Amino acid sequence: MEARAAKWPDGLEDRHAEPLTGRQALPVGLIVLSLVMAAGLVGLAGREATATVSGGGMRLEWHAPTVIRNGEFLEMRITLESADAVGRPVLGIDASLWEDFTVNSFIPAAVDESSANGEFRFEFAPMDPGASLLIKVDAQINPDTLGGNTGMVTVYDGDQSLVSLPVQIEVLP
């Protein structure tokens, strides 16, 4: 009996079924994927931190990622704690900090929203001494953002600045 040649689809031949040798056998894709996964496991992407500053009778706490990949979703938590009464608490966030961000939710909703002096401003109900306000922001960094964003987060009583905190978010590809 005569051996029959394998029937391959168009463009494939017996040589395509032979084992890879030498440089061809180097699993470059597997190595690159392993390095990316290892970087994520050791925290080179997706790190979060909490920063706190006090002044003017107000304590401001900012919790958010410090390093994140572009296109990812993130959560920011902002806590305001007043030592004194605050008649018009306003949270100011530099537009540069949220440049190329898409804000999906902002809870609780502000009583009033505006833009002034390069800031997004969110006014809330008056705060009594010892009162606390937790604000949760869910956002996504636009996929074309690289490098990162910096800006100030400021708490006002009306137009009077109470306390400010510099914030930086590094964005990796």
Side-chain angles (χ1 to χ4, degrees):
M1 251 184 146
E2 191 176 312
R4 292 181 54 173
K7 285 290 231 175
W8 295 100
D10 289 343
L12 293 180
E13 303 169 1
D14 287 335
R15 68 181 175 89
H16 291 112
E18 295 173 8
L20 298 176
T21 59
R23 282 189 70 199
Q24 295 174 329
L26 184 64
V28 175
L30 183 60
I31 291 170
V32 170
L33 177 61
S34 297
L35 290 173
V36 169
M37 291 175 64
L41 286 173
V42 298
L44 293 179
R47 286 182 278 177
E48 293 187 359
T50 301
T52 305
V53 64
S54 295
M58 178 64 66
R59 180 178 174 273
L60 167 63
E61 180 179 287
W62 171 272
H63 178 87
T66 56
V67 178
I68 192 165
R69 289 182 32 240
N70 60 5
E72 285 191 329
F73 293 92
L74 68 138
E75 176 181 288
M76 294 169 264
R77 290 188 305 272
I78 305 158
T79 304
L80 309 179
E81 293 177 356
S82 63
D84 304 322
V86 181
R88 287 185 49 221
V90 177
L91 177 65
I93 298 177
D94 279 354
S96 62
L97 184 59
W98 279 359
E99 184 176 338
D100 292 325
F101 275 43
T102 300
V103 175
N104 297 323
S105 67
F106 193 102
I107 302 169
V111 173
D112 189 31
E113 298 177 354
S114 63
S115 175
N117 301 322
E119 287 182 322
F120 299 114
R121 291 192 177 189
F122 305 93
E123 183 175 339
F124 295 92
M127 296 177 72
D128 294 327
S132 178
L133 173 64
L134 173 62
I135 301 163
K136 180 179 179 280
V137 181
D138 291 312
Q140 180 179 14
I141 298 178
N142 294 348
D144 62 345
T145 304
L146 289 175
N149 294 350
T150 60
M152 297 295 286
V153 177
T154 305
V155 179
Y156 300 90
D157 185 354
D159 290 327
Q160 179 186 347
S161 175
L162 299 177
V163 66
S164 292
L165 179 69
V167 175
Q168 178 175 348
I169 298 175
E170 183 180 351
V171 182
L172 302 176

